[in-house]
Amino acid sequence: MEALQAVVLSSAQLRDMLMEAAKLGAALAVQEFRADLRQSPEDARLQKLRGYLADPASLSNQHEHWADSGVIRRIQTTAQGKPKSTSWFMKFQRETGLSGCPTRQSPAYGRRREWSFADIKLAWDAYYRRR
């Protein structure tokens, strides 16, 4: 017969252990929440778009998410870590047909045009498949 190890705790010890675990869990949750608060809405949109381009199944409603040229230019940065240029975006838009896709006016920036994540993905795949 094998010997089993056991730990015997009093109810006070168990309560203290559970309270400590709860405090650690709450501290981790607050830390993560604070990090989310520091992230700008544009950065959050960029993260979501990058995630969608990497894994289309990560977003079920891709036609309800939109991004403007500033976000699209930051998907893949230059060697210096800067966003792609405006001229790169104009070429990207022209060569992929993104310019013909439906757009909407940006709720945050007024005159900026935004494209749906679905259209951005189709254009992105077409542009980088050729290269």
Side-chain angles (χ1 to χ4, degrees), residues 10-22:
S10 68
S11 61
Q13 289 173 317
L14 179 59
R15 185 176 51 251
D16 289 345
M17 285 177 64
L18 291 174
M19 288 295 281
E20 189 62 31

Side-chain angles (χ1 to χ4, degrees), residues 9-96:
L9 300 172
S10 68
S11 61
Q13 289 173 317
L14 179 59
R15 185 176 51 251
D16 289 345
M17 285 177 64
L18 291 174
M19 288 295 281
E20 189 62 31
K23 286 178 187 177
L24 288 173
L28 288 172
V30 167
Q31 184 179 9
E32 189 174 314
F33 183 66
R34 284 185 179 150
D36 288 347
L37 286 176
R38 281 187 231 118
Q39 189 178 41
S40 73
E42 195 167 277
D43 287 340
R45 187 175 299 120
L46 176 61
Q47 296 279 15
K48 192 176 286 189
L49 179 55
R50 281 180 177 158
Y52 172 67
L53 291 174
D55 178 19
S58 67
L59 201 59
S60 61
N61 52 353
Q62 63 273 15
H63 291 286
E64 295 176 15
H65 295 275
W66 298 76
D68 60 43
S69 63
V71 174
I72 295 169
R73 290 173 36 224
R74 291 174 49 205
I75 293 171
Q76 191 177 59
T77 58
T78 64
Q80 295 81 23
K82 295 181 180 181
K84 300 268 189 177
S85 67
T86 304
S87 62
W88 172 88
F89 181 73
M90 298 304 283
K91 179 182 172 188
F92 171 78
Q93 204 179 331
R94 189 176 51 253
E95 290 183 6
T96 61

Side-chain angles (χ1 to χ4, degrees), residues 110-124:
R111 292 181 52 188
R112 281 192 192 173
R113 294 187 322 160
E114 293 184 335
W115 292 265
S116 75
F117 278 21
D119 291 332
I120 294 167
K121 179 170 181 13
L122 290 172
W124 191 264

